[in-house]
Amino acid sequence: MAPERWRHHLDYLITLLGGSIGSGSLIKFPYLCMRNGGGAFLIPYAIFTFLGAIPCVFLEMVIGQLSQSGPINVWNLCPPFKGIGFGIATVMWLYVTYYMAIFAWFMYYFYHSFIAKLPWATCDNSWNTPACITNIDSSILNSTSANVTNLTLIVVNTTTTGNYTNVTDTVMTAAEEFWKLQALQMTDGLEDLGGIRLPFVGLMAVTCVVMFLVTFQGIRVSGKVVYVTVGVPIILVFVFLIQGCLLPGSADGIYFYVHPKFEKLLEPGMWIEACSLALYSLNIAMGNIITMAGHNRVTNNCFRDVLIVSIADMLCLILVGFAFFAIIGHVAYLRGVPVEAYESSGFNLAFIIYPEVMTYLPLPHVWSALTFLALMTLEVDSMLPGLEIILAAVEDMFRGLAKHRWAVISTILLTNFLFALPCTTQGGIYVVTLMDWYTYFPAVAVFAMLECVAVSWCYGLERLNQDIRAMWGKKVPQAMMLSIKYVCPLLLLVRLQTMVNRKQY
């Protein structure tokens, strides 16, 4: 049975771009730039994108389009490696499971952005402790610069997690107390999950309904939805950039971003992290490139597509960096601290730093709502391909179920919902972090290495070249093939080693 076709080729490109950007672009990229010398980080990131990421994406596009199938049957070209497809489908099921919980967290913050008084802006709420530190008011800002500097440094460096410097074990900002004491009602560790947070259960149920409505009609609907879920965040990033540039201090933030600290290039860790980001940002070995390419016509030019998607993804990340550092520059100016003071990653950046930063902007409710709207739409872009991959894997194994797509998707979402319930407990953040560390990120690097080995060493690059000439009648540069065979496995090995030694959050 022939696979469902894209109504328009642009639907395919936008879907891949949405899956590549994801909510991680607003979390991971700014942190890595700040951590690694601003503009200097863009140099190795661009190098590894062209040297390793583009060849890997090209490989997946070619075999997906050639096989015209999902993540399991694609390995009919090299049957001993069919386990890659089963592994990818399993990992993507776990991925969608804990991303549903993260999406519920974003929705929780989006809802609270419409409350008359932002709950993470003040310390007079019922959950706040006596040690809570609120944002600096105008009277303090008008005091002497020395006092402002002393106070704001304490405010910035009070968290006990992430990359902050501990001042005390009890002092937390209002934004941190809202996240830990009100939103999560966080326990002390994984061994104590506590009770279920009913608001998150309800929001996850809403998430399941939304994802069902988007996916049950196939790529005819989801291929159009991505125009919204990709377009809205990009428009909002432009809005943030324009607004940020109009605020005092934004130039300092942008200068930090674009001014390269070339001495950072001498640090091996910077190159390793740039390599990891380049390979991560394009969703290599996550199955969505293979699955989405399987809906193309066999004669489609994959080489053109991989250049479009990869370069567009890089430009979007760079744009996010400009918007982020413009806003951070303004907040650092108000507080009298350097831009580097806001170095944080993962959940700390998304649920503590971002909400706190929004309180310093004009009309904070509007900016907070827009921020979490962007994160929610990007999270949809991340989950959509995941569901399509799982569905394609099921159809690869049980062809008859293709006629009952709605039932299969309902079953998948129901199992995701049930297994995500531990993520909605008071210790749910520990469960999400554990799944992130040990089931998702290390696995995809292993699968990517196996893909390169299976195609370049077992199937053979010469046979692959013949297939490419038969598909669209043109050869690809020999450097691309050599990179797939030699360079990509080495870079993926480096990325795997990085994941083993360093946690993602």
Side-chain angles (χ1 to χ4, degrees):
M1 185 173 63
E4 184 182 9
R5 300 293 181 196
W6 297 101
R7 288 194 172 184
H8 194 284
H9 192 61
L10 186 60
D11 298 355
Y12 164 67
L13 297 177
I14 296 296
T15 299
L16 287 183
L17 182 61
S20 298
I21 298 174
S23 58
S25 63
L26 294 181
I27 297 174
K28 196 174 287 285
F29 181 73
Y31 160 68
L32 290 176
C33 280
M34 188 176 293
R35 173 189 174 100
N36 292 291
F41 181 76
L42 299 178
I43 298 173
Y45 168 63
I47 291 174
F48 286 121
T49 296
F50 285 94
L51 191 62
I54 287 180
C56 287
V57 174
F58 176 73
L59 171 65
E60 293 196 347
M61 281 189 181
V62 168
I63 62 176
Q65 187 171 300
L66 177 66
S67 68
Q68 295 285 284
S69 61
I72 294 179
N73 284 349
V74 68
W75 294 108
N76 289 336
L77 60 85
C78 194
F81 287 87
K82 218 165 188 177
I84 297 175
F86 289 101
I88 287 176
T90 302
V91 168
M92 292 311 298
W93 181 84
L94 292 169
Y95 173 87
V96 173
T97 297
Y98 76 83
Y99 260 50
M100 286 173 57
I102 298 174
F103 186 83
W105 294 343
F106 288 151
M107 289 180 67
Y108 186 83
Y109 270 75
F110 180 72
Y111 166 78
H112 282 82
S113 298
F114 294 94
I115 295 178
K117 183 177 65 174
L118 288 177
W120 51 79
T122 62
C123 284
D124 56 358
N125 302 288
S126 59
W127 59 83
N128 289 128
T129 66
C132 175
I133 296 180
T134 189
N135 294 336
I136 305 169
D137 59 30
S138 57
S139 63
I140 298 177
L141 285 174
N142 292 329
S143 65
T144 63
S145 59
N147 291 335
V148 172
T149 302
N150 292 335
L151 180 56
T152 54
L153 281 172
I154 293 175
V155 173
V156 173
N157 293 322
T158 52
T159 59
T160 58
T161 60
N163 296 293
Y164 289 90
T165 301
N166 294 333
V167 176
T168 70
D169 291 332
T170 56
V171 175
M172 289 191 291
T173 62
E176 188 176 3
E177 288 204 348
F178 176 79
W179 168 236
K180 293 183 178 180
L181 305 181
Q182 172 61 15
L184 297 180
Q185 297 183 9
M186 193 171 171
T187 60
D188 293 331
L190 184 61
E191 66 282 356
D192 178 20
L193 291 182
I196 288 180
R197 297 280 290 118
L198 292 180
F200 294 142
V201 176
L203 292 174
M204 277 210 321
V206 173
T207 305
C208 289
V209 173
V210 170
M211 298 310 298
F212 175 82
L213 294 175
V214 171
T215 57
F216 87 103
Q217 287 287 355
I219 60 174
R220 292 175 299 172
V221 174
S222 63
K224 301 303 180 184
V225 170
V226 291
Y227 285 91
V228 177
T229 58
V230 174
V232 168
I234 291 177
I235 292 173
L236 293 179
V237 168
F238 272 108
V239 171
F240 275 110
L241 177 60
I242 294 171
Q243 172 64 31
C245 290
L246 297 176
L247 298 172
S250 60
D252 295 333
I254 293 176
Y255 178 79
F256 176 89
Y257 178 51
V258 300
H259 178 68
K261 296 180 180 179
F262 289 111
E263 63 273 13
K264 284 282 187 177
L265 295 175
L266 300 177
E267 299 179 6
M270 175 187 181
W271 289 83
I272 292 174
E273 291 189 339
C275 174
S276 182
L277 178 67
L279 296 169
Y280 161 80
S281 67
L282 287 167
N283 284 347
I284 295 167
M286 291 172 59
N288 60 320
I289 298 174
I290 291 175
T291 304
M292 300 306 168
H295 295 291
N296 284 331
R297 299 189 181 278
V298 178
T299 55
N300 177 60
N301 189 335
C302 297
F303 186 68
R304 174 200 59 202
D305 292 345
V306 68
L307 292 179
I308 292 174
V309 172
S310 302
I311 294 174
D313 175 69
M314 187 190 307
L315 293 177
C316 286
L317 287 181
I318 293 173
L319 178 65
V320 166
F322 274 104
F324 174 85
F325 282 98
I327 298 294
I328 288 297
H330 169 65
V331 177
Y333 166 81
L334 291 179
R335 288 189 161 189
V337 298
V339 174
E340 296 93 323
Y342 287 90
E343 180 184 320
S344 188
S345 64
F347 299 133
N348 283 347
L349 183 58
F351 297 106
I352 297 176
I353 299 300
Y354 277 161
E356 185 175 341
V357 164
M358 295 306 111
T359 63
Y360 284 91
L361 299 180
L363 302 174
H365 292 78
V366 174
W367 295 112
S368 180
L370 292 179
T371 297
F372 287 101
L373 176 62
L375 288 168
M376 288 165 56
T377 52
L378 289 172
E379 199 78 356
V380 171
D381 289 331
S382 298
M383 288 190 289
L384 270 176
L387 287 173
E388 289 290 345
I389 292 161
I390 301 167
L391 181 65
V394 172
E395 292 177 353
D396 279 352
M397 293 184 288
F398 310 100
R399 281 293 182 184
L401 293 179
K403 300 178 181 179
H404 307 284
R405 182 184 176 96
W406 68 270
V408 177
I409 292 178
S410 299
T411 304
I412 293 171
L413 288 172
L414 178 60
T415 58
N416 287 136
F417 176 83
L418 293 176
F419 278 84
L421 287 178
C423 301
T424 65
T425 61
Q426 292 171 290
I429 189 171
Y430 303 116
V431 179
V432 171
T433 304
L434 189 69
M435 295 174 70
D436 197 24
W437 285 357
Y438 296 111
T439 62
Y440 170 55
F441 283 106
V444 294
V446 173
F447 296 147
M449 283 192 294
L450 291 175
E451 284 180 359
C452 293
V453 170
V455 176
S456 61
W457 293 90
C458 298
Y459 186 73
L461 291 182
E462 184 58 36
R463 293 174 66 184
L464 186 65
N465 252 325
Q466 293 173 4
D467 293 334
I468 292 172
R469 284 195 294 268
M471 288 166 69
W472 65 83
K474 294 181 181 180
K475 295 179 63 176
V476 297
Q478 186 64 20
M480 178 78 79
M481 292 300 179
L482 293 176
S483 181
I484 292 173
K485 188 171 185 177
Y486 299 107
V487 178
C488 293
L490 179 61
L491 295 180
L492 289 163
L493 182 62
V494 171
R495 186 187 178 205
L496 177 61
Q497 182 66 26
T498 305
M499 293 172 180
V500 171
N501 291 337
R502 291 188 180 184
K503 305 304 184 227
Q504 298 297 315
Y505 294 104

